[in-house]
């Protein structure tokens, strides 16, 4: 059964459209999401847009490929781009972004109390969901500034789409939740009265928490909650605003995957979840697709030819000619058959020429070294052909489940991307300019 091909994902019209203000690259880890985001930003900039790439990937290779010593929480201009546009890049500093929120929404004394609080320091450095929430906070800041024509977001590598899409709401709910409100009640009551209230109404709860968490930790939490009191509503409001921003028409989601079963299973989950949440999906980017090679030479034929070469029994090799009846048969000059003897011009030649022809036979035969090399190349071709077939079956399963999702296939590169030239190559392939490569 043949499947209709998936609609093609047209990248250039997407990034050229001035209405497109945010492109979010999401997907599981290890599928080329960061490289895809950087290549999109570069192509948009070189086609005239002022673009910024926000990456959450801490690997240094992105900064190096863009010719920047290091990326941090501030957008930095990427040198060496072509055209009239601009490309800037930044890497999310989770803690610094959280600090900026505190400094922007609290008076100096309260901000200092929060920043120095041990519970806040733990929360801002590694609380579950903080990275995803801060990525969306930074996105909101960039979009509100109206400085950028296009913002390309490289999302954190999450095992589940739920982590990325739900993190803003989850952290906002936590910071604005009933549990922290309960802890804040004694501080609101004030002084000894507050402690009396705590002891009378919540002694069981706080005693249990004190044993589990430690009395000092609980005190730090209560101090943090008291200092953050005026900011709780702001976290929820910004989380809601960010969620609405992701649903807005000017946002486009690109699901990035590799042509592998697990990656495409995760991609299918992303597609379903984006649809359920009303997020605007632009399409699927399928990275590292293997292609090339003669289609007529199947894996089975290549392996059969390799086995013949390795066994030394085919007539193109010297050992394979041993059973032939004439020395002239060995050279391939003539075949010693009744038909040849009956009418072949070669049989009219002087038989005394045979020894001379036979003396040249080893030069015409395939050497063992050449046979081994050819067999190795045939086996490599067979392996690549089988890989292409596996990738095609995996892609077709995804397409059968989601025939409406446009797909852009990016042929695999021979090596890693380490400079702007490499990013341009990825961008060209992403845009479909090098479809026959790879």
């Amino acid at each position: 059964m043949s499947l209709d091909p998936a609609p093609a994902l047209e990248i250039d019209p997407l990034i050229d459209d001035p209405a497109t203000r945010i492109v979010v690259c999401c997907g599981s880890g290890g599928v080329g999401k960061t490289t895809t985001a950087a290549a999109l930003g570069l192509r948009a900039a070189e086609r005239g847009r002022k673009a910024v790439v926000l990456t959450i990937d801490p690997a240094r290779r992105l900064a190096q490929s863009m010719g920047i010593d290091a990326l941090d929480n501030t957008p930095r201009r990427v040198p060496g781009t072509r055209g009239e546009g601009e490309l800037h890049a930044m890497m999310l500093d989770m803690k610094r972004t959280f600090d900026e929120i505190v400094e922007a929404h609290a008076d100096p004394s309260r901000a200092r109390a929060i920043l120095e609080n041990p519970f806040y320091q733990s929360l801002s450095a590694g609380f579950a969901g903080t990275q995803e929430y801060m990525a969306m906070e930074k996105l909101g800041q960039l979009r509100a500034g109206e400085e950028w024509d296009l913002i390309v977001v490289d999302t954190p590598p999450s095992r589940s789409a739920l982590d990325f899409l739900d993190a803003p709401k989850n952290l906002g709910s936590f910071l604005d939740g009933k549990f922290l409100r309960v802890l804040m009640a004694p501080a609101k009551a004030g002084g000894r009265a507050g402690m009396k209230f705590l002891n009378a109404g919540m002694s069981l709860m706080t005693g249990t928490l004190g044993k589990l968490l430690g009395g000092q930790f609980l005190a730090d939490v209560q101090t943090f909650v008291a200092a953050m009191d005026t900011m709780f509503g702001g976290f929820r409001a910004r989380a809601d605003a960010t969620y609405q921003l992701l649903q807005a028409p000017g946002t486009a989601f690109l699901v990035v995957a590799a042509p592998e079963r697990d990656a495409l299973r995760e991609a299918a989950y992303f597609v379903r979840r984006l649809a359920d949440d009303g997020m605007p999906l632009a399409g699927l980017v399928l990275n590292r697709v293997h292609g090339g090679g003669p289609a007529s030479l199947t894996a089975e034929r290549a392996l059969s030819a390799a086995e013949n070469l390795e066994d030394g029994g085919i007539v193109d090799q010297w050992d394979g000619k041993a059973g032939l009846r004439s020395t002239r048969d060995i050279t391939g000059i003539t075949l010693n058959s009744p038909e040849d003897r009956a009418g072949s011009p070669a049989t009219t030649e002087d038989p005394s020429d045979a020894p001379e022809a036979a003396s040249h036979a080893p030069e015409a035969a395939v050497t063992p070294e050449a046979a081994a090399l050819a067999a190795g190349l045939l086996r490599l071709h067979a392996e690549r052909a089988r890989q292409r077939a596996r990738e095609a079956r995996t892609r077709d399963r995804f397409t059968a489940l989601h025939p409406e999702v446009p797909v852009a296939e990016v042929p695999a590169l021979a090596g890693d991307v380490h400079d702007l030239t490499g990013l341009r190559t990825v961008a060209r392939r992403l845009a479909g300019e090098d479809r026959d490569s790879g």
Side-chain angles (χ1 to χ4, degrees), residues 54-56 72-73 90-94 97 130-132 134-136 138:
L54 168 61
T55 181
I56 289 83
D72 55 23
N73 217 40
M90 61 185 299
M91 185 176 72
L92 178 73
D93 184 329
M94 180 175 61
T97 301
T130 304
Q131 185 183 51
E132 289 85 351
M134 291 306 152
M136 294 302 97
K138 182 57 68 175

Side-chain angles (χ1 to χ4, degrees), residues 7-11 284-287 406-410 429-430 435:
L9 171 59
E10 301 294 340
I11 291 296
L284 172 74
V285 174
L286 198 60
N287 274 331
V407 178
E409 294 190 4
V410 182
R429 296 186 175 197
L430 186 59
R435 293 194 189 277

Side-chain angles (χ1 to χ4, degrees), residues 67-100:
I68 300 174
D69 293 335
L71 294 176
D72 55 23
N73 217 40
T74 302
R76 300 193 179 278
R77 179 79 178 266
V78 176
T81 58
R82 303 167 182 170
E84 298 180 357
E86 294 181 14
L87 176 61
H88 297 248
M90 61 185 299
M91 185 176 72
L92 178 73
D93 184 329
M94 180 175 61
K95 187 178 187 313
R96 182 59 202 149
T97 301
F98 210 153
D99 291 350
E100 290 172 353

Side-chain angles (χ1 to χ4, degrees), residues 1-6 392-401 403:
M1 180 181 70
S2 61
L3 296 174
D4 293 333
R393 288 194 300 269
T394 305
R395 178 205 60 215
D396 289 346
R397 281 195 292 269
F398 176 90
T399 301
L401 290 172

Side-chain angles (χ1 to χ4, degrees), residues 35-47:
T35 300
T36 298
L40 282 170
L42 177 62
R43 189 164 182 89
E46 295 192 336
R47 294 174 69 87

Side-chain angles (χ1 to χ4, degrees), residues 174-254:
F174 168 76
L175 293 174
D176 195 24
K178 292 181 179 179
F179 174 69
L180 292 187
R181 291 291 183 181
V182 168
L183 289 179
M184 188 170 62
K188 279 191 168 183
R192 293 184 179 179
M195 291 305 297
K196 183 178 180 180
F197 171 79
L198 178 63
N199 290 333
M202 298 181 294
S203 57
L204 178 61
M205 183 192 73
T206 55
T208 302
L209 288 174
K211 290 178 181 178
L212 291 174
L213 306 176
Q216 184 58 49
F217 179 81
L218 186 57
D220 291 338
V221 173
Q222 291 170 340
T223 303
F224 164 77
V225 171
M228 292 282 287
D229 180 26
T230 60
M231 297 181 58
F232 284 127
F235 278 101
R236 170 57 67 86
R238 285 192 301 277
D240 291 343
T242 299
Y243 203 77
Q244 293 172 6
L245 182 65
L246 294 175
Q247 294 176 315
T251 300
F253 280 81
L254 290 177

Side-chain angles (χ1 to χ4, degrees), residues 261-298:
R261 185 177 59 182
D262 291 343
L264 277 173
R265 183 185 297 118
E266 187 77 2
Y269 186 73
F270 268 78
V271 168
R272 291 194 299 270
R273 179 62 199 277
L274 290 169
D276 291 343
D277 285 24
M279 302 291 178
L281 173 65
L284 172 74
V285 174
L286 198 60
N287 274 331
R288 303 168 188 161
V289 176
H290 293 87
S296 59
L297 181 57
T298 65

Side-chain angles (χ1 to χ4, degrees), residues 21-25 36-38 40-41 44 51-55 150-154:
R21 302 296 302 276
I22 299 171
V23 174
V24 182
C25 297
T36 298
L40 282 170
V52 59
V53 177
L54 168 61
T55 181
L150 181 66
I151 303 167
V152 183
V153 183
D154 165 35

